[in-house]
Amino acid sequence: MRCLEPGEADAGWLPPSPQPEPPPDDAGAPPDGGPPDAAPIDGGVPDASIVTAPPPLVEVREPEFMNGDVPNVAKRLEKVSTDLAQCVADNGGLSAATGSLKIQFLVRVRGRAEGVEILEARGVTPDAQRCVRQFLKNRPIGAPSADPVGVTVTLSFRAAK
């Protein structure tokens, strides 16, 4: 390994440096017109008078694989389904009685979900989608049969009664 020379550092052939995820639009700023010492809307201790909906029921559909398979990926996702449901409930919940997320990610030799992306969303709020994506990012999924294996899985949500 070596350091880059000044001419190499400015070369156009280098990949771009990783970019951090953008903060939410209202990242801790007090609402317009509010006192400057007001607490952030989404920070601090939650008000006991606010009632959140119960976590939805989660169903993990049979995953589809590209370039191999990852044994027991559905079982591993079902084990964390209560955490996924809580994630959805804590971040806006469902915008309808039912919802679904079609998620795609890669599993490499280290056995973790990488590059988690939401391909399709129905009835799930954007904040809940972001929470599910972050929750699954780098989560242990299992050893793939090849390197890498693409996984596409659909999570179905139904409001608890």
Side-chain angles (χ1 to χ4, degrees):
M1 238 163 94
R2 66 179 179 85
C3 294
L4 294 176
E5 296 291 325
E8 294 174 318
D10 296 334
W13 53 265
L14 292 175
S17 60
Q19 300 294 317
E21 292 201 25
D25 293 337
D26 62 348
D32 290 336
D37 61 344
I41 293 174
D42 59 349
V45 178
D47 187 356
S49 66
I50 297 174
V51 178
T52 59
L57 303 172
V58 180
E59 177 190 349
V60 178
R61 301 249 174 98
E62 193 62 35
E64 298 174 13
F65 302 105
M66 292 173 275
N67 192 39
D69 72 337
V70 182
N72 301 322
V73 70
K75 284 184 182 179
R76 289 182 186 260
L77 290 173
E78 286 172 6
K79 283 184 180 180
V80 296
S81 65
T82 55
D83 294 330
L84 288 168
Q86 192 63 49
C87 183
V88 169
D90 292 346
N91 289 280
L94 300 175
S95 57
T98 62
S100 67
L101 291 176
K102 187 173 186 177
I103 301 169
Q104 184 176 44
F105 53 88
L106 288 178
V107 181
R108 295 189 180 271
V109 173
R110 65 186 204 128
R112 295 184 176 268
E114 298 179 14
V116 179
E117 295 296 329
I118 297 186
L119 300 178
E120 188 178 303
R122 289 193 179 119
V124 181
T125 64
D127 287 341
Q129 293 174 37
R130 188 176 308 113
C131 181
V132 168
R133 186 175 156 270
Q134 288 296 324
F135 179 82
L136 292 176
K137 190 176 179 180
N138 288 319
R139 175 143 315 264
I141 296 295
S145 63
D147 185 33
V149 172
V151 180
T152 303
V153 65
T154 300
L155 303 175
S156 296
F157 301 94
R158 188 177 69 232
K161 295 182 182 180

